[in-house]
Amino acid sequence: MTGETRLPGEPDPAERRYALMIVGAVLVAMFLGLLIEGPGRHDRVTGSQGPFPRPLGSAAPAAPTQVVHRNRRPVAIVHGLAVETTDFALVALNARTGKEYWRYEPFGDPDVVSVEVSADSVAAWFDDGKLVAIDLRTGTVRWRAHLTGRGFRGLDIGAGRIFVETSGAVTAFSERDGDVLWRMKEHSRSCEDPTPWDVHDMAEHLTVVNMNCDASEEQSGILIGVDSRSGAELWRRAVRDHVDRADGHTLVAVAPRDTGRAGGAPLIQLLDVDRNGAEPRAEFTSDDWFPSDAQGSVVIGEGDDEPPGTFHSTLVTAYDTQTGERAWERRAAEGFSFGSAAIADGRVYVVENSTVLDEYEDQDRDLQADLLVLDAHTGKLLHRLRLPDLTVPDGVRPTDLMVQGVGDGAVRLGWAVSRDDEWIVT
């Protein structure tokens, strides 16, 4: 009998070679899996489940009649989808049925920090630094990026770009493939510790970045005009607060206090915007009034608190963005006040709330409210819908029920403070 001599207890060489081969095969398979799956290898991506949902409508509803309560507030309703966030995931639901259409869960369960939705994509940033762009219709991941640095604020989508807002800088990614197109960082003594507020896409390849500055009360913001293709700075202008985009050539801004009327009344500026700068076309002042929305040739806001010191806005006022002249105003019914309004498709949508109590209270209260649809150019009442009786949550003002968004066949209503409740009106 031939063979190798082994000491007692020594393993068989053939068995040892076989075991090493098995271990090697497992390691090779794991390595190949890493190469194939990439950085998001453990992300859960379900993809689309069934046919694409039919939209609620093609435009803002002219005469809405149906009200549906949802326990979770969607980020957006686009086409036939309601895009929502959970603690660790993005979910797209059929807006009609509530059935899940697709789901994305990133590896490691990071918290969702910011989400923006366009007609084509969902962009999300998570607190582990991951930025993800998802195809709205299929639920598949188009691209991923990892961001570092402090003070990440949010996202904007427009003109085929995803604008990433970090402390003191804005980076523009291609919406389709994630290529970095440009990065703009603010360096200015007049704007210390800058943080982007808003990003507005204008005509002529112009992007306007609205920076929040740690500055005096006279100036708390600055507008920076940027070439949307190269990121080159074209101009800048001081402002006091957020700005609204009325059209491709017009922004509505609140001027710094030192340019306003004596007594502190805000000076509203209608800015002509192009690649050469942003210059006032018209200016006007209005006590206790700030813009809430602008579209086309109309800018609206709520104000005229009565009595002084309360939180009630009893007047909606519209101004013509071409001339700065007051176009119309509407006063709330006796015992009622207005929440923040929104403009869509030539109509103004605003909630008229019963003013039960002036202050926050640690008890639930009943609220009666109507959704008004007004002509944006004349203020004429086009439609009134009595909303179901509502309960004002603990710690919320009755006037905090407001329009959250309008479009794709629905008006979204919710509390101004961070609450999950939302009412979808169609």
Side-chain angles (χ1 to χ4, degrees), residues 345-363:
D345 298 318
R347 294 180 287 271
V348 173
Y349 297 81
V350 62
V351 177
E352 193 174 49
N353 300 297
S354 60
T355 54
V356 182
L357 295 171
D358 291 340
E359 304 289 345
Y360 292 97
E361 293 288 341
D362 294 329
Q363 60 183 1

Side-chain angles (χ1 to χ4, degrees), residues 288 302-315 336-340 353-361 365 395-401 416:
D288 300 319
E302 308 80 39
D304 196 26
D305 292 347
E306 292 184 359
T310 71
F311 297 98
H312 303 157
S313 296
T314 58
L315 192 68
F336 284 74
S337 63
F338 293 119
S340 293
N353 300 297
S354 60
T355 54
V356 182
L357 295 171
D358 291 340
E359 304 289 345
Y360 292 97
E361 293 288 341
R365 293 141 290 162
V396 175
R397 289 190 297 258
T399 53
D400 278 342
L401 184 64

Side-chain angles (χ1 to χ4, degrees), residues 115-144:
V115 180
E116 284 294 328
V117 183
S118 72
D120 194 45
S121 304
V122 178
W125 183 80
F126 299 85
D127 66 358
D128 64 350
K130 182 182 295 181
L131 173 66
V132 180
I134 299 172
D135 187 293
L136 179 72
R137 289 182 172 272
T138 66
T140 57
V141 176
R142 285 182 174 157
W143 53 268
R144 300 176 177 88

Side-chain angles (χ1 to χ4, degrees), residues 221-244:
I222 188 169
L223 298 182
I224 303 176
V226 180
D227 186 299
S228 62
R229 296 161 297 185
S230 67
E233 180 179 325
L234 302 175
W235 51 262
R236 57 179 56 204
R237 181 182 184 87
V239 292
R240 197 202 307 186
D241 210 316
H242 292 268
V243 299
D244 290 292

Side-chain angles (χ1 to χ4, degrees), residues 147-325:
L147 306 172
T148 59
R150 67 177 183 85
F152 189 90
R153 301 297 178 183
L155 304 168
D156 273 292
I157 303 181
R161 292 164 173 79
I162 295 176
F163 301 100
V164 179
E165 303 179 358
T166 56
S167 181
V170 173
T171 301
F173 291 84
S174 167
E175 183 178 349
R176 278 287 176 178
D177 54 30
D179 288 346
V180 176
L181 303 178
W182 52 263
R183 185 172 188 268
M184 186 274 293
K185 187 171 181 61
E186 159 64 4
H187 294 284
S188 173
R189 292 183 179 179
S190 64
C191 187
E192 298 180 3
D193 193 23
T195 301
W197 257 333
D198 309 291
V199 178
H200 298 278
D201 289 303
M202 312 300 289
E204 301 174 327
H205 302 289
L206 174 66
T207 294
V208 177
V209 179
N210 185 14
M211 288 281 193
N212 174 27
C213 305
D214 185 9
S216 68
E217 292 185 357
E218 301 300 326
Q219 173 193 326
S220 57
I222 188 169
L223 298 182
I224 303 176
V226 180
D227 186 299
S228 62
R229 296 161 297 185
S230 67
E233 180 179 325
L234 302 175
W235 51 262
R236 57 179 56 204
R237 181 182 184 87
V239 292
R240 197 202 307 186
D241 210 316
H242 292 268
V243 299
D244 290 292
R245 180 184 182 277
D247 55 46
H249 297 277
T250 308
L251 291 177
V252 182
V254 181
R257 282 184 174 85
D258 56 2
T259 60
R261 190 178 64 183
L267 177 64
I268 312 301
Q269 296 182 321
L270 306 178
L271 302 177
D272 271 327
V273 180
D274 58 25
R275 293 178 65 84
N276 296 317
E279 298 298 328
R281 175 196 310 136
E283 299 177 332
F284 58 90
T285 58
S286 182
D287 292 332
D288 300 319
W289 189 92
F290 272 73
S292 63
D293 199 7
Q295 190 179 100
S297 60
V298 177
V299 54
I300 58 172
E302 308 80 39
D304 196 26
D305 292 347
E306 292 184 359
T310 71
F311 297 98
H312 303 157
S313 296
T314 58
L315 192 68
V316 173
T317 307
Y319 287 83
D320 187 305
T321 60
Q322 299 302 313
T323 65
E325 298 295 327

Side-chain angles (χ1 to χ4, degrees), residues 16-40:
R16 184 168 53 189
R17 286 192 296 271
Y18 179 74
L20 290 174
M21 290 173 60
I22 294 296
V23 172
V26 170
L27 291 175
V28 169
M30 292 175 62
F31 178 72
L32 291 176
L34 290 174
L35 291 178
I36 294 171
E37 296 183 8

